[in-house]
Amino acid sequence: METAMTYGSKRRINQRKMTLIIFVAAVTFLVAVAVGGIFCGEAAQETDFSRKNMMPGFQYLFGTDWLGRDMFVRTIKGLSMSILIGVCAASVSAFVALVLGIAAATLGRKVDAVITWFIDLIMGIPHMLLLILICVALGKGLTGVIVGVALTHWTSLARVIRAEVMQLKESQYIKIAEKLGHSKFKIAVKHMLPHLVPQFLVGLILLFPHAILHESSITFLGFGLSNEQPAIGIILSESMKYLVTGKWWLALFPGAMLVLTVVLFDVAGESLRKIIDPASAQE
């Protein structure tokens, strides 16, 4: 019996160690790409017609395009832009979700009804349509993309936080704090917020892949970043014209790296959830 319990404990410890390793590896890769792209802005725009349309090889890992630009450097720069935009937009979106989620659950039925109605309204509008409308209304560009993504990705997390706060309200210590005359603001900040931090962090990280994909999508469709910027959406959009001529590498490698980035953000979020959530020790 004791041996079985020892084995089970070791197995759980090994699972958590593996989860932590996966989380650190995913975050390290994403940070390296984001930081690396900051320092290769000029190289991503550099043209050299003597090396145009070169296939992938040791010298140019992802090949070159019709202007002789290094596709590996352009891909890293594009991913870096997408990651930084995703981080900014997802952070704003998660903060909005946290504030509205707490407000809906603590400020009475009327406030809850208004916020819930607004959440349902936003979720009822086709996501990409709303995102494009906001970007176009704000003049496209970097600001339009960040604001558009931020204003369209908070609803699901707000619902989760609202449900979590509704459960916390039934806790004994919350009811005692209310009887002691503590204000709703003090109860929310001092007693509820610490319990919401793990849920908030996991939700924040899981917002990143959605933000990155939608930023790339609207840029690909021509409603996001300008053509002068080496964004992943721009790279994929431009490469479509050259696929019929056999230049497959122009779309394959940037697309694969975009998918890898999104998957790693998802893996990081799930790993963080398992690390933070005590119940995940049994998974």
Side-chain angles (χ1 to χ4, degrees), residues 133-149:
L133 289 175
I134 293 174
C135 289
V136 172
L138 294 175
K140 304 181 185 180
L142 184 63
T143 302
V145 171
I146 292 177
V147 174
V149 174

Side-chain angles (χ1 to χ4, degrees), residues 65-212:
D65 64 6
W66 59 98
L67 294 177
R69 294 174 295 191
D70 190 336
M71 289 301 296
F72 176 77
V73 177
R74 284 179 63 78
T75 299
I76 296 299
K77 177 61 179 177
L79 285 176
S80 176
M81 292 179 62
S82 294
I83 290 173
L84 294 176
I85 290 172
V87 168
C88 292
S91 298
V92 173
S93 190
F95 179 75
V96 172
L98 179 66
V99 172
L100 293 182
I102 293 176
T106 58
L107 297 182
R109 293 183 179 180
K110 291 184 178 180
V111 175
D112 183 28
V114 171
I115 294 177
T116 302
W117 174 83
F118 191 58
I119 291 174
D120 292 337
L121 174 65
I122 297 296
M123 297 187 74
I125 302 174
H127 198 89
M128 285 299 296
L129 176 60
L130 180 60
L131 182 54
I132 290 172
L133 289 175
I134 293 174
C135 289
V136 172
L138 294 175
K140 304 181 185 180
L142 184 63
T143 302
V145 171
I146 292 177
V147 174
V149 174
L151 293 180
T152 56
H153 284 73
W154 57 271
T155 49
S156 297
L157 181 58
R159 275 186 166 180
V160 172
I161 292 176
R162 174 185 173 275
E164 193 75 19
V165 174
M166 295 293 283
Q167 288 185 342
L168 287 174
K169 284 177 64 178
E170 301 301 319
S171 301
Q172 194 67 31
Y173 71 96
I174 297 294
K175 293 183 178 179
I176 292 174
E178 290 175 348
K179 290 181 179 179
L180 290 174
H182 292 179
S183 65
K184 293 181 178 180
F185 179 79
K186 184 177 181 180
I187 292 174
V189 173
K190 186 176 180 180
H191 299 292
M192 293 184 177
L193 195 57
H195 291 275
L196 297 174
V197 169
Q199 188 75 38
F200 173 78
L201 290 177
V202 174
L204 171 62
I205 293 180
L206 291 177
L207 278 178
F208 292 158
H210 294 279
I212 291 172

